[in-house]
Amino acid sequence: MSHLTLKRVLIKLSGESLSTDGFGIQVSAVQGIVNDIKEALSSGVQLAIVIGGGNILRGGRANFQNQIERSTADTMGMLATMINALALSDILTHAGIDNEVLSSRGIDGVLECTNPKRAKCYLNEGKVVIFAGGTGNPFVTTDSTATLRAIEIDADAILKVTTVDGVYDKDPNKHDDAVKFDSLSFNETLKRELAVMDLGSFVQARDFNVPICVFNVNNSGALLRVLQGKREGTWVRD
Ligand code: UDP
């Protein structure tokens, strides 16, 4: 196996990755990435995952007819990420992948509270760490969680798993002539107003110099190629 260029990475997995139709949890949806994670781990990389909750609820998009506060809806969204984390943990365990879930808020007997030292300790033991519960604060998303946790654990990069091949100059689903970038600087991405992550989390990644790679989960072996520094997806870095 080729040499790894990245030793510790944080994968941002949307809640939709757990679903075949965008809603709920279908175990089959996640098998591809689980296989890729297993292969990647055997090459010695340390992997943390921030899991989203959009397959269950996104506080900012839910239509609660002004009867449920946004902060309540966001809390519900964060609980959704906890549900997903529990599911993903069991799926990884079933695949023989040692893992631990660390949550922004603990639930006695169910979820351990996150803390950077504990996370690094688990990573050094070769376990996958799944971060649940978002940042613990409303009005942001798990993109912010990904950047915060990546900085906390000294990750070499954030790997943003999507269903497109990378970052394009315009929406490839709407424009046949959309051109994909192999790499971009943070500032060029901002100047072109390309949506890689939520703006706040993107700027924080820039300020803490955490590179971001956007790649397609459906490209088999993509994760390993990214880790080996082969051409895959789009890299955003200084
Ligand atoms: N959320 C939040 N604070 C956080 C992370 C998540 O309030 O730090 C809420 C927010 O409502 C968000 C939802 O949880 O929409 C689910 O997360 P996200 O939308 O990031 O999930 P994804 O799109 O990645 O599946």
Side-chain angles (χ1 to χ4, degrees), residues 12-17 50-61 70-71 73-81 84 133-145 160 198:
K12 162 67 213 295
L13 213 55
S14 74
E16 281 171 353
S17 335
V50 165
I51 183 77
N55 55 324
I56 300 172
L57 192 132
R58 289 192 180 100
R61 295 203 205 156
R70 169 67 190 270
S71 57
D74 279 338
T75 302
M76 291 159 70
M78 287 186 269
L79 290 169
T81 73
N84 283 338
T135 62
N137 295 301
F139 311 117
V140 289
T141 71
T142 51
D143 279 359
S144 292
T145 319
K160 172 132 178 164
D198 289 354

Side-chain angles (χ1 to χ4, degrees), residues 2 45 72-73 105 117-118 131 144 152 158 173 188 206:
S2 324
V45 70
T72 307
R105 291 177 198 275
K117 279 191 189 150
R118 183 60 69 91
F131 290 113
S144 292
E152 279 183 349
I158 296 170
N173 296 319
E188 196 182 349
R206 178 196 65 180

Side-chain angles (χ1 to χ4, degrees), residues 9 15 18 39 41 44 70 76 106 139 143 173 180 188 197 203 218 234:
V9 296
L18 295 182
E39 203 183 344
L41 285 169
R70 169 67 190 270
M76 291 159 70
F139 311 117
D143 279 359
N173 296 319
K180 180 177 150 289
E188 196 182 349
M197 295 172 89
V203 170
N218 298 320
T234 300

